[in-house]
Amino acid sequence: MAHKKTLTDITIIDVAREAGVSYSTVSRVVNNKSYVKPETRERVTQAMHRLGYQANLQARSLAGGHSHVIGLLVHNMSTQYMGEIFRGIDDVLATHNYEVMLYTTHRRRTKESAYVNMMARGLADGLLIVLPRQPEAYIESLRARDFPYVLIDQVGIDEHDVSVTATNFQGGYDATTHLIELGHRRIGKITGWMDMVSARDRLEGYKAALSDHGIPVDPELIVIGDFEKISGYQGAATLLDLAAPPTAVFASNDVMAQGALELFRERSLQVPQDISLVGFDDIPIAAILNPPLTTLRQPMVEMGRLATQMLLDWISDPEQKPASVILPTELIHRESTSLPQS
Amino acid sequence: MAHKKTLTDITIIDVAREAGVSYSTVSRVVNNKSYVKPETRERVTQAMHRLGYQANLQARSLAGGHSHVIGLLVHNMSTQYMGEIFRGIDDVLATHNYEVMLYTTHRRRTKESAYVNMMARGLADGLLIVLPRQPEAYIESLRARDFPYVLIDQVGIDEHDVSVTATNFQGGYDATTHLIELGHRRIGKITGWMDMVSARDRLEGYKAALSDHGIPVDPELIVIGDFEKISGYQGAATLLDLAAPPTAVFASNDVMAQGALELFRERSLQVPQDISLVGFDDIPIAAILNPPLTTLRQPMVEMGRLATQMLLDWISDPEQKPASVILPTELIHRESTSLPQS
DNA sequence: TATCTTTTTGCAAACGCTTGCAAAATGGTT
DNA sequence: AACCATTTTGCAAGCGTTTGCAAAAAGATA
């Protein structure tokens, strides 16, 4: 076969031949290793450019080098919540010439564990795990092999874990306090997926705010949701059907708040005149809803950015395991809350 | 080192030893090849399960096998448009045990070409390319190597290309016809990124509808946009500042329509009473906007689903190159259009 | 010039898998 | 039993890269 090699067929051997050195010298140049004479380095670099060499990712990874791939484990990539986090992740990766291997688990624990194991075998240089469901199943293994990972929106199994989270407890506390200060005393709460620490912390913040204001917690006012719109819709229906319905509702995320809004509209309830509503996250639709949603802003882009930077730093310097970070939430006042109807 | 191999260290050699066969027999079992006795196949399968063997992706790929990875090339993963397409892609991949290697180009042509070359080197079994900007730079190469790819929302360079698109011309025609039938004669048009065929086709449909209704095309009513919200905002400002402003605006996507809506709100214009507005895509926010947006629905989830199925079929049977598909757009009547104000 | 230290370079092995091909085994036919 | 065809199995090579280590080269010093 005498045809000229195409761009995608150029290997390290071709570059070595072109530059008149061994392929291990080319490897040292490609990977910015020392022990290469400046003139040799220059000659190899030019040969690489001339031939348009691109390292074969799988070979590099198999041989023990860096793949420059980050594994990203998510439940689902089609939500605005995830879109915002990914925006932050993408920003950082792009400026560091890293790519993403994306795994969507659709919340299945077994998938989560299997993916982590697969990615930790060398294909990825590190892992970003968003809202992990079962970290205990694989964290020890990742630690035993000193494999870099950062958990996002979940604290992991103990204080040695590396994570980026937000002040969910405080956010839940602030949302509830806001409603209390408006005069609401019966405040409904639609939780998130209770497997997740973020959902539990938001509920704890809600309870703490009530207690701190001398308002007893009424279990009837707490309905379990799953962060999906329909559970917000159904949760709102359950709350409105109570003998003593709430005058305000705090949903554990904006998507469920959106569902609640739809239910209120169907029941001809005006928000905020008839019933106040607070969400959580401040995903882009929060500001678009009618009325624009008052919500707790979780700095998702910043979480993605920070987690990714921490992970890349850890990969770059394996001795420097990063410290976990908790970012502040912030109450965003819009138009979905007001004094209770007298 | 006498410690037991961990789950992630089990190789094909371990399985071979456990089952008492050669590793090439294990490979034949793993890859469902023939020429393995049923009893042998069972014995190997049990050893695999017992040891929890997971093939090393990079090794498999390097050795010429299937990686079960699909390369996905997008501009940006954080938009609802992309989220919807990805939903369809994800649905299909999940049921076929394929994973995604995600590359975001942020619309840079050079990145597009480099990523395609990298992925086609064996790491991915096939490519999905969403809204390609410069297909001519790599399509020939992909074809020369019979590498499976499917273009999404772009037709490629000739009739031999494999793509999944929607009837953009017809959509633009229908949107404009809808406004004309309501009585509008001055209809503003905010285009998308004119590098893209979808943007050009929507504009052509707009022009054709005007012509077919005996309405001359006024170039002043056409402003160039880039599919981003701010260009919708600015485009709407340009249109409203005309000596003879339009009574209706057709934006080439919902995101720009959202920007136009914001501008109208700032100018105290009521939609649809003072000015009608039509978008394109029917991403999830279209129904949430105030007023809910009349728009041309592009079946994005279905596009993602279909493209992915086509690609997997092609990978599965390399002799069967799939035929391109054009999915219909559909006018979705909501509340942003009405008769022009007299 | 001899000796020592450091830098540079290339050989060889390895990574975990797939696959061509030859050898061995099996089954069928004469 | 001999022969032929098919199935099964395992050896060996290879994929493209990284890296340990030895050899060669270069530089410094006495």
Side-chain angles (χ1 to χ4, degrees):
Chain A
M1 185 65 108
H3 92 295
K4 183 173 184 294
K5 284 197 174 186
T6 68
L7 180 61
T8 56
D9 299 329
I10 305 295
T11 71
I12 204 166
I13 309 271
D14 302 305
V15 178
R17 196 178 295 124
E18 176 84 12
V21 297
S22 75
Y23 53 80
S24 59
T25 297
V26 176
S27 185
R28 271 189 286 267
V29 173
V30 167
N31 294 294
N32 284 109
K33 297 290 168 85
S34 45
Y35 298 126
V36 181
K37 266 197 309 214
E39 308 94 78
T40 306
R41 192 179 293 270
E42 180 61 25
R43 195 162 80 245
V44 171
T45 300
Q46 298 200 342
M48 279 165 48
H49 288 325
R50 208 155 44 236
L51 296 178
Y53 171 73
Q54 281 183 299
N56 181 293
L57 192 53
Q58 48 267 41
R60 180 148 77 180
S61 171
L62 184 61
H66 278 172
S67 64
H68 289 284
V69 170
I70 294 298
L72 173 61
L73 204 66
V74 303
H75 299 149
N76 170 0
M77 198 67 197
S78 307
T79 63
Q80 287 198 316
Y81 165 84
M82 197 58 241
E84 292 296 287
I85 292 185
F86 185 75
R87 193 194 302 274
I89 292 171
D90 200 25
D91 285 348
V92 175
L93 291 185
T95 63
H96 288 80
N97 205 34
Y98 266 78
E99 310 308 338
V100 171
M101 184 80 142
L102 182 64
Y103 289 85
T104 57
T105 61
H106 303 293
R107 293 211 180 107
R108 281 170 291 184
R109 289 195 186 85
T110 55
K111 278 219 135 178
E112 196 167 290
S113 195
Y115 285 152
V116 168
N117 286 329
M118 192 187 306
M119 288 195 275
R121 292 194 64 180
L123 181 57
D125 293 338
L127 289 182
L128 291 172
I129 310 177
V130 185
L131 291 173
R133 296 231 26 225
Q134 195 176 26
E136 62 276 357
Y138 46 79
I139 294 282
E140 296 287 3
S141 166
L142 291 178
R143 288 196 200 147
R145 59 174 59 243
D146 285 316
F147 191 85
Y149 67 92
V150 177
L151 307 178
I152 297 176
D153 212 349
Q154 165 74 284
V155 293
I157 59 177
D158 64 35
E159 71 281 356
H160 300 299
D161 271 329
V162 186
S163 65
V164 176
T165 59
T167 50
N168 288 297
F169 177 94
Q170 191 63 42
Y173 191 97
D174 293 344
T176 310
T177 299
H178 168 62
L179 292 170
I180 290 168
E181 289 175 349
L182 283 175
H184 297 277
R185 291 296 177 270
R186 290 194 64 75
I187 301 171
K189 166 71 177 166
I190 308 177
T191 75
W193 192 277
M194 294 302 289
D195 274 12
M196 295 178 192
V197 174
S198 56
R200 297 199 294 269
D201 286 351
R202 291 171 201 177
L203 176 60
E204 291 307 314
Y206 160 85
K207 290 179 177 177
L210 290 177
S211 295
D212 285 0
H213 289 86
I215 302 172
V217 178
D218 182 351
E220 283 198 324
L221 289 176
I222 301 172
V223 295
I224 305 294
D226 64 7
F227 284 131
E228 301 288 340
K229 188 162 75 165
I230 191 152
S231 79
Y233 180 94
Q234 292 171 342
T238 300
L239 290 172
L240 288 192
D241 289 340
L242 290 176
T247 58
V249 173
F250 167 36
S252 270
N253 74 349
D254 293 340
V255 174
M256 287 194 296
Q258 185 186 0
L261 209 41
E262 280 178 20
L263 188 281
F264 296 154
R265 189 166 291 126
E266 283 182 16
R267 299 266 178 110
S268 300
L269 288 181
Q270 297 286 111
V271 175
Q273 297 92 326
D274 300 327
I275 188 161
S276 291
L277 179 64
V278 180
F280 205 111
D281 285 340
D282 195 28
I283 56 176
I285 65 161
I288 300 170
L289 289 172
N290 179 21
L293 193 65
T294 294
T295 185
L296 264 292
R297 182 168 169 275
Q298 183 165 214
M300 292 167 289
V301 176
E302 189 53 32
M303 283 164 69
R305 196 191 303 277
L306 194 54
T308 309
Q309 193 58 62
M310 284 158 60
L311 183 62
L312 294 187
D313 290 343
W314 190 1
I315 291 168
S316 176
D317 183 357
E319 303 305 319
Q320 296 276 49
K321 181 172 171 179
S324 293
V325 176
I326 305 180
L327 296 175
T329 47
E330 179 192 355
L331 185 61
I332 304 294
H333 295 269
R334 287 200 181 97
E335 295 167 42
S336 61
T337 58
S338 69
L339 304 184
Q341 196 179 26
S342 6
Chain B
M1 181 68 103
H3 92 293
K4 185 174 184 296
K5 283 199 174 184
T6 68
L7 180 62
T8 55
D9 299 327
I10 305 295
T11 70
I12 204 165
I13 310 272
D14 302 306
V15 179
R17 198 178 294 124
E18 176 83 11
V21 297
S22 75
Y23 54 82
S24 60
T25 298
V26 177
S27 184
R28 270 187 286 266
V29 173
V30 168
N31 294 291
N32 283 108
K33 297 290 170 83
S34 44
Y35 298 128
V36 180
K37 261 191 323 209
E39 308 93 77
T40 305
R41 193 179 292 272
E42 181 60 28
R43 195 161 82 242
V44 171
T45 300
Q46 298 201 342
M48 278 165 48
H49 288 323
R50 212 157 41 236
L51 296 178
Y53 170 71
Q54 281 183 298
N56 181 294
L57 191 56
Q58 47 269 42
R60 180 149 76 180
S61 172
L62 185 61
H66 277 174
S67 64
H68 289 283
V69 170
I70 294 298
L72 174 61
L73 204 65
V74 304
H75 299 151
N76 171 0
M77 198 69 197
S78 306
T79 63
Q80 286 198 319
Y81 166 83
M82 196 58 241
E84 293 296 287
I85 292 185
F86 185 75
R87 193 193 302 274
I89 292 171
D90 201 23
D91 285 347
V92 175
L93 291 184
T95 63
H96 288 79
N97 205 33
Y98 266 78
E99 310 309 337
V100 171
M101 183 79 141
L102 183 63
Y103 288 84
T104 58
T105 62
H106 304 291
R107 292 211 180 106
R108 281 170 292 181
R109 288 196 188 84
T110 53
K111 279 217 130 179
E112 195 166 293
S113 196
Y115 285 152
V116 169
N117 287 328
M118 193 186 305
M119 288 195 276
R121 291 194 65 180
L123 180 57
D125 292 337
L127 288 182
L128 291 172
I129 311 177
V130 185
L131 292 171
R133 293 224 41 217
Q134 196 177 26
E136 63 277 358
Y138 45 80
I139 294 283
E140 296 286 4
S141 166
L142 291 179
R143 287 195 199 150
R145 57 175 57 243
D146 286 318
F147 191 86
Y149 66 92
V150 177
L151 307 177
I152 297 176
D153 213 348
Q154 165 73 284
V155 293
I157 60 175
D158 62 38
E159 70 280 358
H160 301 298
D161 270 331
V162 185
S163 64
V164 176
T165 58
T167 52
N168 288 297
F169 177 95
Q170 190 64 43
Y173 190 98
D174 293 344
T176 311
T177 299
H178 168 63
L179 292 169
I180 291 168
E181 288 174 350
L182 282 174
H184 296 278
R185 292 297 176 272
R186 289 194 65 74
I187 300 171
K189 167 70 176 169
I190 307 176
T191 75
W193 191 277
M194 293 303 288
D195 275 13
M196 294 178 194
V197 175
S198 57
R200 296 199 296 267
D201 286 351
R202 290 172 200 176
L203 176 61
E204 291 307 315
Y206 162 84
K207 290 179 178 177
L210 289 178
S211 296
D212 285 359
H213 289 85
I215 302 170
V217 177
D218 181 351
E220 284 198 322
L221 289 176
I222 301 172
V223 294
I224 305 294
D226 65 9
F227 284 131
E228 301 289 339
K229 188 162 74 165
I230 191 153
S231 79
Y233 180 94
Q234 292 170 342
T238 301
L239 291 173
L240 289 191
D241 290 339
L242 290 177
T247 58
V249 173
F250 167 36
S252 271
N253 74 350
D254 295 340
V255 173
M256 287 194 296
Q258 187 187 356
L261 209 41
E262 281 178 21
L263 189 280
F264 296 155
R265 190 166 289 129
E266 284 182 15
R267 298 269 178 106
S268 300
L269 287 182
Q270 298 285 110
V271 175
Q273 297 90 325
D274 299 326
I275 189 162
S276 292
L277 180 65
V278 180
F280 205 111
D281 284 339
D282 194 26
I283 57 175
I285 64 162
I288 300 170
L289 290 172
N290 178 21
L293 192 65
T294 294
T295 185
L296 264 291
R297 181 165 171 276
Q298 183 163 216
M300 292 167 289
V301 175
E302 190 53 33
M303 282 164 69
R305 196 189 304 276
L306 194 55
T308 309
Q309 193 57 61
M310 284 159 60
L311 183 61
L312 293 188
D313 290 343
W314 190 0
I315 291 168
S316 175
D317 182 359
E319 302 306 318
Q320 295 276 49
K321 181 172 169 178
S324 291
V325 177
I326 304 180
L327 296 174
T329 46
E330 179 190 357
L331 184 61
I332 305 295
H333 295 270
R334 288 200 180 97
E335 295 167 43
S336 61
T337 57
S338 70
L339 305 184
Q341 196 180 27
S342 5

